[in-house]
Every structure is written in structure tokens, then in C-alpha cells.
Amino acid sequence: MSPARLFVRAYDARMPGSTLKIDAPRDFDLARDVCSYGYFVLVPNYWDVNNQSLSRVLEFDDAPSACVIDQRDDGSLRARFDRKLTREEQQSAREQIIRMLSLDLTSEEIRAFHKLDPRWKKSGRARLFRSPTLFEDVIKTVTSCNVAWPNTVNMNRRLCEVCGRKSVSGAYSFPSAKKLSRTRVGTLRGRCRVGYRDQRMVDLAKMFHRGEIDEAWLSDPDTHDDDAFAFLLTLPGIGPYAAGNIMQLLGRCSRLAIDTETIRHAKNVLGYSGTDAQITKKIKAHYEPFGDHKFRSYWFELWQFYESKAGPSHTWERDQVSTTFTAANL
DNA sequence: GGTAGACCTGGACGC
DNA sequence: GCGTCCAGGTCTACC
């Protein structure tokens, strides 16, 4: 039995801490909207298939705290914690959960997406799951570059086990920028097995910790997509694919994140042929009509393919998905 | 601006 | 059990 399962069961039995009620938009569906992007199966996230709840440890200044999030019959969300939170921590927890579940995506934006791409209107898909912080999203993206998916899964597990903080219920947090900025590169390479990404991760952590990455500017609708993308390309370990992926994690879906999986999807599902460069050109033309929502259209197409092979994503067991996630393995 | 090769890990494969 | 090959995106040097 995995440590995560032990944690969830032990935690469910106690529930000794704070409980927060978080209002969700009427069109929000926890199972659909959590199980919408691969990061939901990466530690410290844990989707409990039986209870249809999301659990993970959230980071706060003084100490981390594990929480379990589920959706009530009235549509609202309930977040239960393993210790009592201060008022400031409760506010931080709300902000982290809102970011993670994309609760700030408005009905107008969703309607605009479904108007451009009506294929997803019936299912209501529009939101993409992400991390509670941009820092975690950036590091997770770096762990997904130049490796097969099972390796990404292992890197994230080890990062939490080696560098994360332990909550009172025994589960580990994702390391904060402050913690990772002070971690030796030898530790990252030797114990977390991140390979040549070690120095780049520490450099990114230092930039976040020093405030050199302005998340407010990156998230500001007044900031042009091209400017945000150009800035991301200047970050260590971030190339065109990673920058494109971080863009969508910022809620900017006007461009694609093209990797080998995209090429495989284009060949196997869209039926394209030719060199990778020719296929890339066709892919860009294919998604061009979806304007500011290109990534969503692309991603839900890919996700639909995964679900056609592996069943609805809200039934995927994390440990099983860890080894069979990419189209190459399905 | 385009391209080749190095960077690392882990899985697959052959012996 | 061991050695070899390969996949994967970014970075740097070079043309």
C-alpha cells in the first residue's frame, strides 16, 4: 500500500483541524475539473477515486497542512485540514485552492471557449487543473521536459520526500521556493534524481524567492501574451515547450505547447504525415481557429484520446496512471 | 537563423 | 546481472 493511501485513510478518520467552505461557480464540477490535466496525478496531489476528493499538503509560512477537498450537494467546496489554521493561513488556503481549481475562470470566458469550440459544451470542459502556486507549476514543468512520464512522476515524488515539509498527518508538501533555493544541487541530483536540471531548479527557486519573477505581471490581462512568453523563455531550463505550457498554467491559452506527444497525437489521431516540421505547421493551422483558447482545444482533444483508452479520468488510480499515461504507452 | 551534439535518467532489449 | 541503446526538451557552440 502506498504512503499516500495510508495518509488519506488515516486523515479521513480524524479530521482534527479547520474546515473551510469555498463557494464554487455553478458550472464547476470537482471530479471533471481536477481530473483535467496530468498534474493531478503528481505528488503531492492525490485524487481519491472512491471518495471523489482531492487531497494534498498546502504550504504556509510557519508549517504545512494536509487538506482534503470535496464537493457538497449544493455545489460548494469543503476543505478539511489536519490542524487548525490561523486567519492568515485560511486566506492563503483559499487563494491556493482557487488557483489550483481555476475557480476564477469566469462563465463568460467559458461560454466564449464553447462558442469557438462547441465540442466541449456538453461535457462542460474548460478548466484546467494546476498547482496552488506558479512556482510549483514551473518546477513541475521542468520535471516534465526531456523525460518519459514515469520519470516525471518519480522526480516529483522524490522532491516532496526529500525537500518537502511533513504535515502533522505525515504527508509531505511540495518544496517551497525558499526551501529549494537553499537546497544543494548535489542533493537534487543524487537523491531526487533530477539529473542536469539540478542547477536550473535551484536558480529558478532563487529567482522566485528573491521576487525576480513577477507573477502579478505575468497574470495581468494587460500584459501581452508575446511579452509574457518572451520573459518565460529567459528563465533557466525553460524553452519553447516549457514556456508554452507555463503560459496555459497562467491561464493564457492562446498558444500551444508542442512536444513529441503533440506530434504523436497529430499522426495517430489527426492523421497527419510528413516531417516533424511539416506536421508542426499543420498542427498550428489546425488549432488556429480556436484563437485565445487554442491550448484548451488541443488539450481536451488529447485528453479525450486518453480517456477513450483508459476510461474517464476521474476513475484513474494515481499509481496505475503513473506508468501508463502517454499515448506511447496506452 | 539553423543545426549538431551534450546533458541525464530509466526503461527496453540482448546476451 | 550487466552492458548498450534510445527517448525526451533545453542549451551552447558553431556555421
Side-chain angles (χ1 to χ4, degrees), chain A residues 159-188:
Chain A
L159 277 171
C160 293
E161 288 172 353
V162 175
C163 306
R165 292 196 291 179
K166 201 173 187 177
S167 65
V168 294
S169 52
Y172 289 88
S173 66
F174 192 85
S176 64
K178 180 181 176 183
K179 168 70 180 177
L180 214 53
S181 70
R182 294 173 181 172
T183 302
R184 290 165 52 190
V185 289
T187 300
L188 290 181

Side-chain angles (χ1 to χ4, degrees), chain A residues 18-25 28 54 56-60 65 67 69-70 76-81 85-105 130-133:
Chain A
S18 301
T19 296
L20 299 182
K21 181 183 180 228
I22 298 172
D23 291 331
F28 182 81
L54 172 70
R56 67 162 287 150
V57 177
L58 294 180
E59 266 290 353
F60 303 104
S65 175
C67 74
I69 303 167
D70 55 12
S76 67
L77 300 172
R78 179 179 61 169
R80 293 170 291 169
F81 291 81
L85 303 185
T86 65
R87 193 177 292 267
E88 290 74 23
E89 286 173 338
Q90 289 181 26
Q91 180 59 30
S92 172
R94 285 182 189 280
E95 290 168 4
Q96 294 188 60
I97 291 168
I98 287 170
R99 183 180 199 284
M100 197 163 42
L101 304 179
S102 295
L103 295 176
D104 50 355
L105 187 68
R130 49 189 184 170
S131 304
T133 65

Side-chain angles (χ1 to χ4, degrees), chain A residues 119-222:
Chain A
R119 292 177 295 174
W120 318 112
K121 190 172 180 180
K122 189 177 175 189
S123 67
R125 280 209 180 277
R127 292 185 173 83
L128 289 155
F129 182 76
R130 49 189 184 170
S131 304
T133 65
L134 176 62
F135 173 69
E136 184 176 328
D137 272 339
V138 169
I139 296 297
K140 277 186 156 59
T141 298
V142 171
T143 67
S144 73
C145 291
N146 204 26
V147 286
W149 180 251
N151 202 350
T152 300
V153 171
N154 287 333
M155 274 189 251
N156 278 276
R157 179 175 51 78
R158 289 174 180 139
L159 277 171
C160 293
E161 288 172 353
V162 175
C163 306
R165 292 196 291 179
K166 201 173 187 177
S167 65
V168 294
S169 52
Y172 289 88
S173 66
F174 192 85
S176 64
K178 180 181 176 183
K179 168 70 180 177
L180 214 53
S181 70
R182 294 173 181 172
T183 302
R184 290 165 52 190
V185 289
T187 300
L188 290 181
R189 183 175 292 224
R191 297 181 62 196
C192 302
R193 313 294 290 168
V194 303
Y196 63 88
R197 301 164 193 80
D198 54 0
Q199 187 64 59
R200 295 170 191 177
M201 285 184 176
V202 171
D203 290 345
L204 282 166
K206 284 178 177 170
M207 292 180 79
F208 269 95
H209 185 48
R210 290 182 196 134
E212 294 170 8
I213 295 174
D214 188 347
E215 185 175 355
W217 177 79
L218 284 167
S219 305
D220 188 342
D222 288 338

Side-chain angles (χ1 to χ4, degrees), chain A residues 1-14 46 169 171:
Chain A
M1 186 180 292
S2 71
R5 283 179 185 279
L6 277 173
F7 147 65
V8 171
R9 286 179 185 170
Y11 179 73
D12 276 347
R14 289 186 283 132
Y46 181 77
S169 52

